[in-house]
Amino acid sequence: MSRPTIIARPDIDTGVEPPLVQVEGLSRVFDLSQRWLNRILEGEGKVILTAVDGVDLSIRRGETYALVGESGSGKSTIAKMVVGLLPPTTGSVRIGGVDIWAERNAATQRRLRRRIQMIFQDPYASLNPRWRVGSIVAEPIRAFDLIADRRERENRVGELLSLVGLDRRDAGKFPHEFSGGQRQRIAIARALASNPEFIVCDEPTSALDVSVQAQVLNLLRDLQDQLGLTYLFISHNLAVVRHVASRVGVLYLGRLVEEAPGQALFTEPQHPYTRMLLDSVPDLDMTGKERIPIAGEIPNPVNPPPGCHFHPRCPLRFDPCDKKRPPLEPHGMSLAACHALADQGR
């Protein structure tokens, strides 16, 4: 079977315009401890899990910033904090210069949240099975009081369904009457209903067949060009990221270890973890290039390794790696956090 065509997205240069999304020092800690009395009786201490550990990133208007990494690296936790579903332990998230977690004015918060939407991973779980599609898509319109007249609202729902490749008459159906790809189109229509500027896509194609994945990705790209949308794209599928991302951030155990323009990351990866991730992708062209498989398992985030979290699995590790956290510094076209790269550059 021939491979589906996915439209590639070139890198974007927006000049000196400030980023739409600015994340600084973002961290999230979860307390997994038992109750106080249980800890006293069993002689146990607190159990703390650091899911996100001091992440800095920015997303310019009109670009697709992809976050990749193994399961448990903190991708979805970052997504939830960026859209306002989960408060950070420390750090800030600014959308258009406004900190969504520091802003206390209710009217400003409401205007800000209208500009942000999210497309979830599972199209079967993200839609209310008891609601008709028209009600699902119209919910953001009602929630933000965008269109008061019922007839105008129904017309807007029809426009949104047509925009994502569905029929206006589908508004009268229930979610169970659609395939997985069609349900994800409904979820996209719902995300567009509030006229957002920024959409977080949390693995939006991972539950779909390969051919349907390409259709949904091309739809997202077309909508981005048509509506000027900005995406944070969460994925573990490097083949998808390679075709859709303007820039890519690589997460490992809650830390950003490399950030680079999309094409540069795949042609000149700097961090050893990024190289191992790319080497794990099947070589369909059978180039015969030597590949280094990812060694070992991702450590327990409750008790992460000291210094560089990746050092127990890293082929380049040396003395400072288990003692000091490496800073994110320029290496080639990337920003990478690696003591070995810094040592080579001296």
Side-chain angles (χ1 to χ4, degrees):
M1 187 178 78
S2 61
R3 296 168 66 81
T5 301
I6 303 176
I7 300 174
R9 182 155 188 84
D11 295 341
I12 296 175
D13 181 9
T14 54
V16 295
E17 183 182 359
L20 175 64
V21 181
Q22 186 75 48
V23 172
E24 295 180 352
L26 198 66
S27 298
R28 176 65 198 196
V29 174
F30 294 96
D31 189 346
L32 305 182
S33 309
Q34 298 188 61
R35 294 181 178 180
W36 174 80
L37 182 57
N38 293 54
R39 297 203 307 270
I40 294 297
L41 294 175
E42 298 176 15
E44 296 182 355
K46 280 196 168 187
V47 179
I48 302 298
L49 185 151
T50 303
V52 179
D53 188 4
V55 169
D56 297 325
L57 61 88
S58 62
I59 309 174
R60 300 186 292 266
R61 291 181 184 274
E63 80 167 343
T64 299
Y65 186 104
L67 276 178
V68 301
E70 294 172 278
S71 296
S73 59
K75 304 186 299 296
S76 293
T77 303
I78 290 176
K80 291 174 183 176
M81 288 190 285
V82 168
V83 298
L85 293 178
L86 183 69
T89 303
T90 60
S92 63
V93 178
R94 289 184 172 83
I95 309 293
V98 180
D99 190 335
I100 65 174
W101 292 109
E103 179 59 52
R104 293 291 179 263
N105 183 278
T108 303
Q109 280 189 342
R110 184 178 175 83
R111 288 194 298 269
L112 185 62
R113 293 188 184 280
R114 187 187 66 78
R115 300 165 64 187
I116 311 167
Q117 286 294 328
M118 188 168 184
I119 301 169
F120 296 92
Q121 178 177 357
D122 188 353
Y124 294 90
S126 64
L127 304 179
N128 190 331
R130 297 178 180 272
W131 285 18
R132 296 184 187 274
V133 167
S135 297
I136 292 173
V137 176
E139 179 62 13
I141 300 175
R142 289 194 295 265
F144 292 108
D145 299 321
L146 299 180
I147 302 176
D149 183 75
R150 182 179 62 85
R151 196 175 294 275
E152 289 183 18
R153 191 164 58 239
E154 290 175 352
N155 185 58
R156 175 57 178 161
V157 168
E159 291 176 354
L160 289 167
L161 291 175
S162 299
L163 190 63
V164 299
L166 297 174
D167 194 284
R168 288 173 172 264
R169 293 170 294 183
D170 290 334
K173 298 179 181 178
F174 288 96
H176 73 265
E177 300 179 65
F178 296 88
S179 66
Q182 290 172 324
R183 291 188 194 198
Q184 200 62 299
R185 289 174 184 266
I186 295 169
I188 294 171
R190 177 180 59 186
L192 296 175
S194 67
N195 301 319
E197 298 174 54
F198 175 52
I199 298 180
V200 174
C201 307
D202 188 6
E203 307 239 21
T205 61
S206 63
L208 307 178
D209 293 338
V210 175
S211 58
V212 179
Q213 286 183 15
Q215 295 171 16
V216 172
L217 291 171
N218 284 336
L219 172 63
L220 290 172
R221 165 66 193 276
D222 291 341
L223 292 172
Q224 185 175 43
D225 291 340
Q226 193 173 341
L227 304 176
L229 299 171
T230 302
Y231 293 142
L232 172 60
F233 195 94
I234 310 293
S235 182
H236 65 274
N237 189 332
L238 291 171
V240 168
V241 169
R242 182 168 194 161
H243 289 284
V244 303
S246 311
R247 286 189 298 141
V248 183
V250 181
L251 282 173
Y252 185 77
L253 218 59
R255 295 178 178 176
L256 198 64
V257 297
E258 184 166 358
E259 181 184 274
Q263 296 304 317
L265 186 94
F266 288 92
T267 56
E268 298 180 25
Q270 298 295 317
H271 198 278
Y273 176 61
T274 308
R275 297 174 191 171
M276 288 185 176
L277 281 180
L278 295 176
D279 282 346
S280 69
V281 178
D283 186 3
L284 298 181
D285 295 328
M286 301 182 69
T287 59
K289 176 185 174 183
E290 184 179 354
R291 306 164 74 83
I292 303 174
I294 297 180
E297 298 288 337
I298 190 167
N300 185 348
V302 173
N303 186 26
C308 174
H309 284 346
F310 187 61
H311 82 261
R313 306 169 69 186
C314 182
L316 303 180
R317 63 182 178 271
F318 66 117
D319 185 54
C321 298
D322 61 351
K323 297 180 177 64
K324 182 180 177 183
R325 175 176 178 172
L328 203 63
E329 297 178 328
H331 298 283
M333 295 186 67
S334 301
L335 292 173
C338 179
H339 290 302
L341 292 175
D343 188 64
Q344 292 171 8
R346 291 193 182 100

